[in-house]
Amino acid sequence: MKDVAQLTVEEAKAELARLAKEIAAADGAYYQDDAPDLTDAEYDALKHYNAAIEARFPQLVRPDSPSKRVGAAVQSKFNKITHRFPMLSLGDVFAIAEVADFVMSVKRFLNSSENIAFMAEPKIDGLSFTARYENRRFVSGATRGDGVVGEDISENLKTIKQLPLVLPPDAPEIVEVRGEVYMAKKDFLALNEKNAADGGKIFANPRNAAAGSLRQLDPKITAARRLSIWAYTWGEVSVPQWQTQAEFFQKLQEWGFPVNPLNKICYSLADMEANFAQMMEIRASLPYDIDGIVYKVNDIVLQERLGFLTRTPRWAIAHKFPAEQALTRINNIRVQVGRTGVLTPVADLEPVNVGGVMVAHATLHNEDEIKRKDFRIGDMVVVQRAGDVIPQVVEVKFDKRPVDAKPYEFPHRCPECGAHAVREEGEAAWRCSGGLTCPAQAKEHLKHFVAKEAFDIVGLGDKVIEEFYDDGILRTPVDIFTLEQRNGTMATPDLFAFAEESGLHIEQRSGWGKASAQKLFDAVNARRKISLPRFIYALGIPQVGAATALLLAKNYGSFAALEQEMMARETAKLVTIDGIGANMAQDIVEFFNEPHNIGAIAALRKHVIIEEFVDDEIKDSPLSGKTVVFTGTLEQMTRAEAKAMAQKYGAKVAGSVSAHTDLVVVGADAGSKAKKAAELGVKTISEDEFLTMVK
Ligand code: IVH
């Protein structure tokens, strides 16, 4: 980039034209495709350069200048909503000296010599939304779009559980609450992990995952993704009831909106600086991404006096963190084997400091991702911490590629057990075909079995499992329950050499003693009786996490009932459970039809008692034991609330109407489900009748 001070008028004109084009292209990639092609730092640099030229040559500002746009154009596939009050953007700065300039300019504008209080808020790295309430009911929601016209995402927003659909009686008749939709780091990682295994899209960072999840024409997809919100500003309001930003936050909380507890009033530049430093420090440990701090004049009267520039308020600014990226080398690419046999490629990196954290490894997700980005051993790559927990390799610096670097060939054999790997049609992941004969899979399976949400056996940590496995003490879950019985005796012949020769003496192992061995046996004995959801989860059925295990427990009540129907491949009931899709149902049935699993379960049941599932829901309600389906738009509560309420009163909630359905709650504009209920003669009731039933 040329020095702005040296530019001639002609050169400046040409540069502005080029920048408008480049930034528009980058916006498209970022906003439309959720696939940025520039790093944030590169993009910010372009925008700053554009702003600097415009500052020197105001007469050259183009009608299509990126400084006049907040985001990209509205996509045609969503309805458009014109914001009654535009959704603004913020000017951003990187240095504390620029924050000082901002504070000075505010004071100068107000002709004030007094200290001005600023609300300092973490700048959430998501996408902004506006939610409109009329007569205290949610009526519509939109994205920012270009700031003037956004996309109608009412149905999608409604799926976010943190968003209240009804406001309390003291809220204004009309109010638009605005804030940020984001995806928590752990939800982002889980989504990418799942998508890496079944061929879905790998998102570059939580922001893109949030955008991709929110802007879905099918709100069901949005609902299945975990999105969160923070509320932080307002649009139209019939009667404002607050005098400061702090009072507004108070109101928001009273109305049920999540308000970031890290928002903090600063009374001086020193406060702002200290707060910024502190946020930089805790940034990596926050469960969501932030990319800076937003400062807002706290007093609303002053905000109004300050007003707006074209697209940004004079009373607020964003103080951005330096980009968390670094350049390093891929020293090696190796493949890890997970519990279900998925082979995950991992890059071993030359250790590098990324925003204060040393990074030495990063996942490369799957074969396609490696091919698409052409990662090779020896490459210099840009590493970024966006989902902070696991760093990402963003791109290769091709100009630095060693001449002898060869394309990476994904192994077609399991690196742990040598069994051949398979990649099924429609899947992105290669899987080791060794099953539990693969030591890596077997170890991960054991770790899962004793994990906190499963059997929760303290004393059997990852390291102990690895050692016990390698020494032939533990090979399958049932071995855990025969440990004490086998200790001090000769080991069973199917276990390995170590124990066979000397007998099993855990207390004689290094790091163990009589007391610790006994403690382990006690911990195991304490788990010989186990709740049904824990047991189901512990089995490690593909796709069945703790939440699904709970659903299965609720719907089947006993393990025998579940096992019987699954072994008989009777899926009629299974597929009506809301939250269990066809694909998952198939995995569950397959699991129960695999002889090895049947054997393992039978062996376990000789040692553990699986309790029947007792719900702590309210009994003797007109809903207990009933299977309920909700359809149409509910007016007084969200679908999620309604479901939770029905479950609390003992009902099972199904996603579709069948002969098993007892009751269909019909909201506004109900479609095929209401029709089906009529055909099958299933009782239907209105939302009001449902509410009276549970009250
Ligand atoms: S206030 C007129 N507060 O940053 C003020 N924005 O660069 C409008 N953002 O479009 C925005 N956290 O998507 C505000 N605490 C916060 C924010 C925040 C994140 C985003 C928002 C906005 C963008 C501006």
Side-chain angles (χ1 to χ4, degrees), residues 108-350:
R108 215 176 306 122
F109 190 93
L110 296 171
N111 197 12
S112 156
S113 55
E114 277 167 40
N115 260 0
I116 290 179
F118 288 90
M119 181 63 79
E121 307 171 15
K123 186 169 188 296
I124 313 302
D125 200 5
L127 64 157
S128 42
F129 73 91
T130 181
R132 187 176 174 85
Y133 295 80
E134 290 174 8
N135 297 318
R136 290 158 284 274
R137 294 280 153 88
F138 172 87
V139 291
S140 64
T143 62
R144 186 175 64 184
D146 64 3
V148 177
V149 179
E151 294 163 341
D152 182 345
I153 49 156
S154 308
E155 291 308 311
N156 307 52
L157 262 187
K158 276 200 223 163
T159 69
I160 299 177
K161 300 191 180 64
Q162 289 177 312
L163 186 86
L165 292 185
V166 180
L167 302 185
D170 67 332
E173 227 139 79
I174 292 178
V175 60
E176 261 174 54
V177 173
R178 295 176 174 180
E180 202 85 350
V181 175
Y182 66 95
M183 190 177 280
K185 292 172 187 172
K186 67 167 184 353
D187 297 326
F188 158 72
L189 293 173
L191 177 64
N192 263 1
E193 215 170 275
K194 185 176 163 289
N195 286 0
D198 54 36
K201 185 178 168 115
I202 307 285
F203 291 101
N205 53 49
R207 200 212 78 87
N208 290 344
S213 303
L214 191 62
R215 287 165 53 234
Q216 283 286 344
L217 283 172
D218 178 1
K220 276 205 206 78
I221 299 179
T222 310
R225 306 268 174 88
R226 284 172 194 266
L227 293 171
S228 312
I229 55 167
W230 292 121
Y232 52 64
T233 194
W234 64 93
E236 187 182 0
V237 182
S238 49
V239 187
Q241 304 167 329
W242 47 90
Q243 257 115 51
T244 61
Q245 185 73 20
E247 279 176 31
F248 174 62
F249 286 158
Q250 183 64 40
K251 281 279 169 220
L252 280 179
Q253 269 170 314
E254 286 169 22
W255 298 344
F257 290 92
V259 174
N260 198 320
L262 297 172
N263 296 341
K264 189 175 179 248
I265 299 187
C266 293
Y267 295 96
S268 66
L269 191 64
D271 276 4
M272 292 158 117
E273 199 172 359
N275 179 67
F276 188 80
Q278 198 206 345
M279 292 299 139
M280 280 265 274
E281 216 171 289
I282 65 167
R283 176 184 186 190
S285 61
L286 290 177
Y288 49 87
D289 275 351
I290 62 175
D291 59 352
I293 301 293
V294 178
Y295 303 115
K296 299 175 185 167
V297 170
N298 189 41
D299 187 319
I300 309 298
V301 172
L302 298 187
Q303 283 188 7
E304 279 164 4
R305 277 177 57 198
L306 283 155
F308 303 94
L309 295 156
T310 334
R311 290 286 179 173
T312 58
R314 264 195 210 90
W315 45 266
I317 202 163
H319 187 186
K320 304 255 293 231
F321 295 135
E324 284 196 302
Q325 287 196 334
L327 205 60
T328 191
R329 186 180 307 281
I330 298 183
N331 285 335
N332 189 27
I333 298 177
R334 69 195 148 83
V335 165
Q336 268 178 357
V337 187
R339 174 171 61 85
T340 56
V342 171
L343 305 186
T344 304
V346 176
D348 288 331
L349 305 165
E350 192 59 38

